[in-house]
Amino acid sequence: MLEVKNIQTYYGNIQAIKGISLEISEGEIITLIGANGAGKTTTLMSISGIVPPKFGDILFMGEPLQELSPNQIVALGISQVPEGRRIFPYLTVMENLDMGAFLRNDTDEIQKDLEYIFDLFPILAERRHQSGGTLSGGEQQMLAVARALMARPRLLLLDEPSLGLAPLIVKQIFKIIRKINQENKTTIFLVEQNANLALQVAHRGYVMENGRITLSDTSQNLLANEDVKKAYLGI
Amino acid sequence: MFRFSEIKKSFLVALWLMFLTFPIMVIRVNTIYKTIEWRWERMFMVGIGAFFLSFLWRYLHKKKEAGEKKAEEAGTLPLAQRLIKNRQFSIPAAIGLGIFIIAFPFIFSMYQTNIMTTALIYVVVGLGLNIVVGLAGLLDLGYVAFYAVGAYSYALLNHHFGLGFWAALPIGATFAFLFGVILGFPVLRLRGDYLAIVTLGFGEIIRLILENWNAFSFGPSGIANIPRPGFFGMDLSLSQSITYVYFLMIGMAIFTIFVVKRLQDSRLGRAWIALREDEVACQAMGIDKTRTKLSAFALGATWAGIGGVVFAAKTTFINPASFTIWESIIILCIVVLGGMGSVLGVIFGALVLILLPEYLRAFSEYRMLIFGATLVTMMVFRPGGIITDVRKTYKFKGLKDKQPTV
């Protein structure tokens, strides 16, 4: 479904990604784990076109993405939950969700998706007329995921959904991620620091270090790998 | 009773103000007799006045903070919003206001009508800038440039081709729109302070071009004898024509309010607000950053263009001196003071900021001082503007409201 071929991404003169390749097939949950500053978020930003790669190719369903603008990429069916939630604090929950459906005009279908989302996150239905900034961290994260789902993506990019949340809420969010994947067949690319949890949910995983991918295997194998255990699982 | 620390604080305030106002209040230099007059009694008046006023100031400040806390706890709307929501009050008030607006030029003098028309032009222009600054959050300090584009389009088209007001109005608006797009393209990749500086520069560039390109714009001497708006080819006397322009502006203001309201509640309007809050999140949602910003910038410019055409027609004479940076600042003040993003606030702000200096003419030399003091007081006690923006919340149709929360 998504093929990333040897991309290199720069912030000005600083190279954040030094040539990585990865592959995601339809219906999978793939995780990318690594330490701070490894280039995980940049990889997502490259895929979504917000920080386009300087070299290399990204193919989505056979279509090259690196020339497209972020809004065209969203239109193809890739939507991103940015790091640190980034909901719109002064818009209500409803309006936040409507912003997620910005490129869609099919009112009836939006309505259906909305009901589905309120099913997934009942707390958002309760708070729907509250402004986003008044939600708690966990609720904001749920809103961020829900907002991205409103675009009805085929590929959902999740950037650190566990960031700054209580363990119990993290568990809840991961449960929902799995549910989205199973019920909608939405492919999920999950970037995480919490390697343990991420590998438990994902089918396969990539390990990133200093802008390069150093390991790639199934989740079970990665969880059993001695190096991964030492570096990321703290066992 | 008052605590000692409060008295000390007020005393210090008094002392500081006495020092601050010393040069203008105490010393008077008589240049004819070459003497210096020392008016010490004034210094004591300032001191005593400041001493007591500082108590009042602190009292109001405390009351405001307590009030905010209470409103937050109770979840009540601000007073102005509550009054609008209350039908028993709002319907008679609207009718009364309507009658007042219609009767205005017949009750008051030509001079009053004229000032009111000016204020209405600023209402329209302020609402335009409200799109750019209040909704999209793009700080534009050169807004007056688009106002100038509108005014000069009418003046020059009329001078060279004899175009009338009604033909020039859409053309002026279009020109301002185009200028907005042309300027917006390179500039909108900048953010915040940088955008403000570049737009400031653009405003000055337009003014300087108008001032120096004599062959094109007739330089500082300006363009005179611009015809007032025609009324189906009828000849209007001066007072009739002023009344006519007044009603024209009323209609235009209502039209602007309608359009801006609709824009605000549209998806594009919400995208502007979203863009103001978080650009990266907007991109992740598939909102085209450039196009959305450009639309705000160009639509804002369009209203300035319309205001400019009416301004030229109303004053019948324009020159570059009407389009200085001061105008941009005043329009910005209208938006900020009235309440960013709030339509009602901007209308109120325009009326206050334009009418206040006019009616304060009686105080001649002190009028700018009072004006400044009003601005400072307003910003301390109502930082959100006179009428804070409470947006209409968006509801998906078909969903039942289980619990109405504010």
Side-chain angles (χ1 to χ4, degrees):
Chain A
M1 186 182 211
L2 185 84
E3 239 182 299
V4 175
K5 288 181 186 164
N6 202 22
I7 57 163
Q8 299 183 33
T9 307
Y10 291 76
Y11 289 107
N13 283 327
I14 300 157
Q15 186 168 13
I17 299 182
K18 298 162 181 163
I20 65 166
S21 303
L22 43 89
E23 224 175 291
I24 300 170
S25 331
E26 194 136 22
E28 275 186 311
I29 301 182
I30 302 294
T31 181
L32 181 64
I33 54 177
N36 277 331
K40 305 183 301 282
T41 298
T42 313
T43 309
L44 281 197
M45 292 292 197
S46 298
I47 296 170
S48 63
I50 296 174
V51 185
K54 210 166 183 177
F55 306 108
D57 296 298
I58 303 172
L59 297 174
F60 180 66
M61 318 288 274
E63 213 168 322
L65 292 187
Q66 67 272 18
E67 299 291 313
L68 301 180
S69 61
N71 53 303
Q72 287 168 313
I73 291 172
V74 175
L76 284 177
I78 299 181
S79 82
Q80 187 189 5
V81 180
E83 188 178 6
R85 315 193 258 278
R86 287 180 176 259
I87 51 132
F88 305 119
Y90 288 99
L91 295 180
T92 63
V93 169
M94 265 314 206
E95 288 170 324
N96 265 285
L97 293 174
D98 182 55
M99 279 294 108
F102 187 75
L103 294 173
R104 294 172 59 188
N105 282 318
D106 42 349
T107 323
D108 295 341
E109 292 296 302
I110 291 177
Q111 192 62 46
K112 245 185 244 164
D113 287 3
L114 198 72
E115 268 152 31
Y116 174 69
I117 274 164
F118 282 158
D119 223 38
L120 275 180
F121 306 100
I123 189 80
L124 292 184
E126 242 171 73
R127 304 220 186 286
R128 72 178 87 132
H129 297 309
Q130 222 165 304
S131 57
T134 62
L135 301 184
S136 74
E139 288 161 0
Q140 287 190 11
Q141 185 64 59
M142 290 177 196
L143 178 58
V145 174
R147 187 179 62 179
L149 286 177
M150 285 302 286
R152 202 180 262 194
R154 283 192 281 185
L155 172 62
L156 182 65
L157 309 175
L158 283 167
D159 200 346
E160 303 236 1
S162 72
L163 191 76
L165 297 182
L168 216 64
I169 293 166
V170 173
K171 231 176 225 165
Q172 201 183 342
I173 284 177
F174 273 75
K175 219 167 94 189
I176 288 166
I177 291 172
R178 198 180 272 154
K179 198 170 164 195
I180 295 164
N181 174 255
Q182 282 163 358
E183 284 180 4
N184 295 8
K185 305 278 167 277
T186 310
T187 316
I188 290 170
F189 186 38
L190 173 68
V191 161
E192 257 299 342
Q193 275 202 66
N194 190 338
N196 191 16
L197 252 177
L199 287 173
Q200 278 173 26
V201 189
H203 302 120
R204 286 189 304 123
Y206 291 89
V207 180
M208 204 168 175
E209 245 169 75
N210 291 326
R212 288 196 178 83
I213 283 177
T214 50
L215 259 180
S216 98
D217 211 329
T218 61
S219 294
Q220 281 90 352
N221 288 351
L222 282 178
L223 276 169
N225 187 301
E226 283 306 315
D227 291 338
V228 174
K229 263 188 188 169
K230 232 190 242 156
Y232 302 107
L233 303 178
I235 303 166
Chain B
M1 266 318 282
F2 295 116
R3 264 170 293 141
F4 177 68
S5 67
E6 296 236 323
I7 294 171
K8 193 175 126 195
K9 234 189 240 168
S10 290
F11 183 70
L12 285 175
V13 167
L15 215 61
W16 179 72
L17 252 161
M18 271 151 72
F19 170 74
L20 198 72
T21 54
F22 178 76
I24 51 167
M25 294 304 282
V26 178
I27 307 170
R28 175 145 84 187
V29 180
N30 194 326
T31 45
I32 299 168
Y33 299 108
K34 298 216 164 100
T35 53
I36 296 175
E37 221 180 297
W38 300 87
R39 300 170 294 178
W40 294 105
E41 75 284 357
R42 287 190 161 204
M43 190 161 138
F44 290 110
M45 273 154 60
V46 167
I48 291 162
F51 185 77
F52 286 111
L53 277 178
S54 73
F55 276 111
L56 184 70
W57 176 274
R58 274 203 304 274
Y59 168 72
L60 288 174
H61 210 84
K62 240 184 236 155
K63 202 175 144 198
K64 177 200 148 206
E65 269 166 14
E68 260 171 17
K69 216 183 258 166
K70 213 189 271 169
E72 218 169 84
E73 278 162 8
T76 47
L77 290 166
L79 179 71
Q81 302 292 338
R82 256 182 297 160
L83 283 181
I84 294 164
K85 285 262 161 69
N86 182 358
R87 291 199 164 259
Q88 250 174 354
F89 172 80
S90 68
I91 290 175
I95 293 169
L97 190 70
I99 293 169
F100 178 72
I101 286 170
I102 293 168
F104 189 87
F106 306 109
I107 302 172
F108 293 99
S109 67
M110 231 159 78
Y111 166 71
Q112 304 279 2
T113 315
N114 226 343
I115 301 173
M116 194 45 101
T117 312
T118 310
L120 285 170
I121 292 178
Y122 279 91
V123 167
V124 170
V125 175
L127 284 171
L129 187 65
N130 189 32
I131 296 177
V132 186
V133 178
L135 295 182
L138 308 164
L139 185 53
D140 183 355
L141 289 181
Y143 191 62
V144 76
F146 304 120
Y147 192 49
V149 166
Y152 267 88
S153 320
Y154 176 40
L156 288 173
L157 284 170
N158 181 270
H159 186 270
H160 293 298
F161 306 106
L163 243 58
F165 173 80
W166 289 109
L169 192 64
I171 297 175
T174 316
F175 273 147
F177 178 85
L178 288 177
F179 262 81
V181 173
I182 292 168
L183 173 73
F185 250 120
V187 155
L188 286 179
R189 60 193 68 215
L190 302 173
R191 254 191 261 179
D193 315 356
Y194 305 104
L195 179 73
I197 292 167
V198 174
T199 49
L200 183 78
F202 175 75
E204 281 300 281
I205 288 170
I206 293 272
R207 189 182 63 83
L208 286 171
I209 288 176
L210 292 174
E211 206 145 282
N212 292 303
W213 193 1
N214 285 324
F216 171 71
S217 66
F218 305 99
S221 54
I223 303 167
N225 289 328
I226 303 165
R228 294 171 194 280
F231 185 63
F232 300 112
M234 266 163 35
D235 272 334
L236 297 173
S237 71
L238 184 63
S239 74
Q240 276 173 330
S241 143
I242 282 173
T243 312
Y244 173 50
V245 175
Y246 168 80
F247 280 116
L248 191 77
M249 271 324 292
I250 289 283
M252 224 167 254
I254 291 170
F255 174 67
T256 312
I257 292 165
F258 173 74
V259 173
V260 170
K261 268 273 181 212
R262 295 292 297 165
L263 272 174
Q264 212 173 15
D265 296 334
S266 73
R267 213 180 227 185
L268 183 65
R270 260 173 280 128
W272 285 336
I273 297 166
L275 205 62
R276 177 184 78 193
E277 288 176 13
D278 199 322
E279 288 196 1
V280 173
C282 275
Q283 283 179 303
M285 295 302 99
I287 297 168
D288 190 336
K289 202 171 83 177
T290 326
R291 219 169 53 196
T292 312
K293 273 190 185 179
L294 207 58
S295 65
F297 211 65
L299 276 171
T302 310
W303 293 114
I306 291 174
V309 173
V310 179
F311 172 73
K314 176 184 157 284
T315 53
T316 71
F317 167 77
I318 53 168
N319 72 348
S322 309
F323 307 106
T324 54
I325 176 77
W326 174 243
E327 288 300 309
S328 289
I329 303 283
I330 280 282
I331 301 169
L332 192 67
C333 280
I334 287 173
V335 175
V336 175
L337 189 79
M340 285 219 265
S342 149
V343 170
L344 206 62
V346 171
I347 297 167
F348 213 70
L351 294 179
V352 169
L353 278 191
I354 303 305
L355 299 183
L356 199 64
E358 288 293 338
Y359 290 125
L360 285 178
R361 271 187 202 283
F363 301 91
S364 58
E365 56 204 287
Y366 294 112
R367 97 189 153 107
M368 282 333 254
L369 194 67
I370 298 171
F371 183 68
T374 316
L375 275 186
V376 172
T377 326
M378 278 300 308
M379 282 295 103
V380 169
F381 288 111
R382 294 207 67 119
I386 300 173
I387 298 169
T388 329
D389 180 31
V390 173
R391 289 178 332 97
K392 185 177 159 188
T393 45
Y394 174 69
K395 295 190 177 80
F396 282 85
K397 57 177 179 189
L399 271 180
K400 276 165 272 149
D401 275 278
K402 275 173 215 150
Q403 53 174 84
T405 40
V406 180

